[in-house]
């Protein structure tokens, strides 16, 4: 994609808003539409766009595969860990009400944490799947399409 | 009115997908199909679902299908036989499904079974029990936390499965290229 100057410039301009929008969707999911799933996909989309335009090797340098693979598990562990935290504090599994001094604060904290876990896992899995697919394709010229 | 326009476009897109043999165009049209469905979901007041459909259906899966195309063929094989039997099966199934919708409650009917089970409790109590303005989030994350944990586990498992099937070869290929360059 070295010769596509317009694509490269536009992609570079789009990346920060996409990442910012993903974070907005992530942490605004309590108030408007959105949440961890959508935010994770949007976050991953930014890296996939980067990989499409600037090449897989460059993208792998930005997000090393080891980090992404670890993040896949970390997100799920955060979610399950919040559940166990509820157990240890005397509630049921995944009961967030006991996480803080009152019910609403506990629910809010729990939901924020598990949404963060969901977002982390979804983003990492999407990036991993894309890397796995793209890593196998033979290099193609634009005319092949 | 917008409903009818969107549904017409959906049907046209689906027909075009069936007719086309050039798979690149088919992948792009499936993206269009997802985006149109997302528009319909917005009209049905399901913004969270629309959001997911637009991001996953129109965004990520289009890119993944393109990645698959790059690995396989770019043209669909012309089937040898006439698709008469599949067409009949599809027609009968479709007719049965349409017949099934006749017994369904009307859209938005407050007496529908789905609105009389746990939904009233969510709508009345989620403000005091969970305190999150978006009821969808409070249902997904708190009332149905186990379901969501299961969903995230499914996504995690999918990632692991892809890694087991496709992962690792990238590193091996790079090593092969290096040894070729050396040799």
């Amino acid at each position: 994609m070295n010769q596509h100057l317009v694509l490269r410039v536009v992609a570079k301009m789009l990346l920060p808003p996409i990442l910012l929008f993903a974070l907005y969707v992530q942490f605004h999911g309590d108030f408007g539409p959105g949440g961890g799933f959508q935010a994770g996909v949007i976050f991953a989309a930014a890296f996939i766009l980067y990989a499409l335009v600037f090449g897989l090797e460059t993208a792998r340098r930005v997000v090393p595969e080891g980090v992404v693979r670890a993040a896949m598990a970390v997100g799920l562990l955060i979610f399950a860990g919040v559940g166990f935290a509820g157990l240890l504090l005397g509630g049921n599994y995944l009961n967030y009400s006991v996480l803080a001094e009152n019910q609403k604060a506990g629910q809010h904290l729990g939901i924020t944490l598990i949404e963060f876990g969901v977002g982390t896992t979804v983003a990492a899995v999407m990036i991993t799947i894309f890397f796995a697919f793209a890593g196998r394709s033979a290099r193609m010229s634009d005319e092949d399409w | 009115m917008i409903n009818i326009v969107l549904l017409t476009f959906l049907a046209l897109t689906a027909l075009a997908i069936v007719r086309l043999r050039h798979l690149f165009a088919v992948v792009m049209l499936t993206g269009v199909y997802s985006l149109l469905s997302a528009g319909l979901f917005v009209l049905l007041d399901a913004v969270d679902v629309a959001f997911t459909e637009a991001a996953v259906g129109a965004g990520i899966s289009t890119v993944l299908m393109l990645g698959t195309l790059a690995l396989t063929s770019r043209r669909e094989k012309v089937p040898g036989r006439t698709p008469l039997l599949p067409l009949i099966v599809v027609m009968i199934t479709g007719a049965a499904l349409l017949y099934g919708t006749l017994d369904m409650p009307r859209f938005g009917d407050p007496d529908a079974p789905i609105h009389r089970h746990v939904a009233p409790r969510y709508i009345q109590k989620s403000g005091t029990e969970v305190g999150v303005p978006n009821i969808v989030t409070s249902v997904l994350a708190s009332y149905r936390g186990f379901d969501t944990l299961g969903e995230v586990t499914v996504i995690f498992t999918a990632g692991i499965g892809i890694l087991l099937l496709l992962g690792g070869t990238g590193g091996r290929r790079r090593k092969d290229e290096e040894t070729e360059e050396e040799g």
Side-chain angles (χ1 to χ4, degrees), chain A residues 99-121:
Chain A
L99 292 177
E101 53 271 21
N102 67 59
Q103 189 180 0
K104 275 192 185 176
Q107 289 284 346
H108 202 85
L109 177 67
I111 289 176
T112 310
L113 282 174
I114 67 126
E115 291 278 9
F116 181 69
V118 172
T120 311
T121 294

Side-chain angles (χ1 to χ4, degrees), chain B residues 13 17 26-36 53 57-59 61-62:
Chain B
T13 318
I17 290 173
V26 169
V27 170
M28 284 302 153
L29 280 176
T30 47
V32 171
Y33 190 90
S34 288
L35 204 59
L36 287 171
E53 180 69 41
S61 54
T62 307

Side-chain angles (χ1 to χ4, degrees), chain B residues 1 34 44-45 57 61-62 85 103 111-112 134 138 143-144 150 155:
Chain B
M1 183 60 204
S34 288
L44 292 170
D45 282 338
S61 54
T62 307
L85 182 67
D103 276 347
D111 288 330
N134 185 357
S138 66
Y143 289 116
R144 297 293 174 110
I155 292 175

